Amino acid sequence: MTTPDWVEHVVWWQVYPLGFAGAEKSALPEQAPARHGLAQLVHWLDYLVEMGASGLALGPVFASETHGYDTTDYYRIDSRLGDDADFDELVAQAHARGIRVLLDGVFNHTGRSFAPFRQALEQGPGATTADWFSFTWPDGWTPGTEPGYRDFEGHHHLVALNHAEPAVADFVADVMKHWLRRGADGWRLDAAYAVPSSFWAPVLDDVRTEFPDAYFVGEYIHGDYPAEVRAGHLDSVTQYELWKAVWSSLAEANFYELSAALERHNTFLDTFVPLTFVGNHDVTRIASRLAPSGRLAHALVLLFTLPGTPTVYYGDEQGYRGDKEDRAGGDDDIRPSFPASPGELSAVGQPLYHLHQELIGLRRRHHWVHAARTRVHSLANEQLVYEVFDAAHSLFVAMNLEDASVTVQVPEAARDVLAGAGGLDVPGRRLALPANGWAILAPTGG
């Protein structure tokens, strides 16, 4: 298993399409005309490229009952987002600009309207699809009597698939290949942590026989990431440990937490390159957590100077705010609609967008960072100096979280300030940082 070479250079812009397009909260009636929400995204591809990103990571686009993670037809585009023609045009326009497209595959569970599930309910234990799910049939089952079934984390409207059933593995592999044939470049595997690794490995091996250049990243929150990657034959997993350490260490002025997370991150890199992020469709916006403290820029510097495959969640580059809440509709605030075109965005977000451009540009000029390692040179609650390096390259990052200027010592090799605000005294290896300041440095000529 070898991760495709193109992944080293990709920076994803992640979009939740149903929210982006301002789609209805529930599926459209069967006879209703398609809304063509995917067509709106075409108008944003140049914006993505101008920011410096090179990948479009889409949330669910397949027919579903409500939020997209309750899929009803894996072979059909949700009519709130359009149809096959809309998907084909989006992929064609993306590829014409050198943009890779990642799809979101919800293969742990389905919606209750998923046809194989409805067939099993109607036909009972003898249905050809009965073994696709983990049913508890009542004695003497009769039509119209609903059995118990395993669901996803207590959400009874999300029906868990039975991953021990070979027909389910064949189905998932076929779905993946269908959309890869239509031009997708890879898959994010939703709730991969809830699926046995023994399921992913043969499925992904099967898909790679036809699509060796496809990329597969699993959603994992806790646990032994390297073991899951190896067992499931994944390319990567979502680096939630680092996400938490980034925002928490900055919010609480505790770089010791981040330093510990970087040590773990280095061990992961011995096996795979994690998918890194400071925001996504499931968490409170990074601007909501950090903008009041003046430390939002620090999170972006970390995202783009640390090893990993970086992802920007749509709106984060404009400073959008939103709180994740544990209630019905609690995701709405973090999955907002976007205007019809970039020209309609508020000017308020432009400085942050320009910072993204600067940092992504630096990252792309130093693409070797993708699979590099880090070492901490100086550590205190409110100051951090670290190096990211491989056998032939180095970058140095210095951060200050105090509301006053400070001077920190940097390694002798740190000679040129590439970005940020810092006055460097080269002979004394002293770097002056302003209040809540940061700087990225390189060896001479770096």
Side-chain angles (χ1 to χ4, degrees), residues 246-279:
V246 167
W247 71 257
S248 179
S249 64
L250 294 175
E252 299 174 9
N254 176 17
F255 273 135
Y256 288 93
E257 178 183 3
L258 179 60
S259 179
L262 291 180
E263 291 180 13
R264 287 267 294 167
H265 195 60
N266 277 336
T267 67
F268 299 156
L269 287 156
D270 292 337
T271 302
F272 71 102
V273 178
L275 187 80
T276 52
F277 58 97
V278 295

Side-chain angles (χ1 to χ4, degrees), residues 93-160:
Q93 291 291 341
H95 285 172
R97 293 165 172 81
I99 299 169
R100 300 282 181 167
V101 178
L102 188 72
L103 295 181
D104 202 347
V106 189
F107 299 126
N108 175 69
H109 50 269
T110 76
R112 283 178 51 89
S113 299
F114 181 50
F117 180 71
R118 302 309 307 174
Q119 178 184 344
L121 291 187
E122 292 166 7
Q123 298 179 9
T128 57
T129 59
D131 289 339
W132 284 41
F133 311 94
S134 299
F135 287 119
T136 303
W137 296 99
D139 293 338
W141 175 86
T142 57
T145 303
E146 182 163 303
Y149 58 85
R150 189 169 57 85
D151 59 30
F152 175 59
E153 296 183 353
H155 301 285
H156 206 55
H157 62 290
L158 301 178
V159 185

Side-chain angles (χ1 to χ4, degrees), residues 15 47 58 79 132 135 144 150-151 155-156 200 222 336 418 428:
V15 173
Y47 167 93
L58 295 170
S79 59
W132 284 41
F135 287 119
R150 189 169 57 85
D151 59 30
H155 301 285
H156 206 55
W200 292 127
H222 308 293
L418 302 183

Side-chain angles (χ1 to χ4, degrees), residues 163-228:
H163 297 95
E165 168 56 36
V168 170
D170 293 342
F171 171 79
V172 171
D174 190 69
V175 170
M176 287 186 182
K177 287 188 262 189
H178 174 84
W179 294 103
L180 290 168
R181 289 173 188 138
R182 296 193 80 101
D185 296 287
W187 289 88
R188 170 194 179 270
L189 306 174
D190 181 70
Y193 60 84
V195 178
S197 299
S198 58
F199 175 83
W200 292 127
V203 167
L204 299 186
D205 288 351
D206 179 10
V207 176
R208 284 191 181 99
T209 59
E210 185 174 344
F211 298 97
D213 210 30
Y215 175 62
F216 302 95
V217 54
E219 182 192 19
Y220 286 83
I221 300 172
H222 308 293
D224 186 342
Y225 294 165
E228 296 293 350

Side-chain angles (χ1 to χ4, degrees), residues 406-408 410 415 417 419-426 429-434 438-439 441:
V406 300
T407 300
V408 296
V410 296
R415 296 299 183 99
V417 177
L424 180 61
D425 170 14
V426 174
R429 296 189 294 142
R430 304 291 290 176
L431 176 72
L433 290 173
W438 57 270
L441 306 94

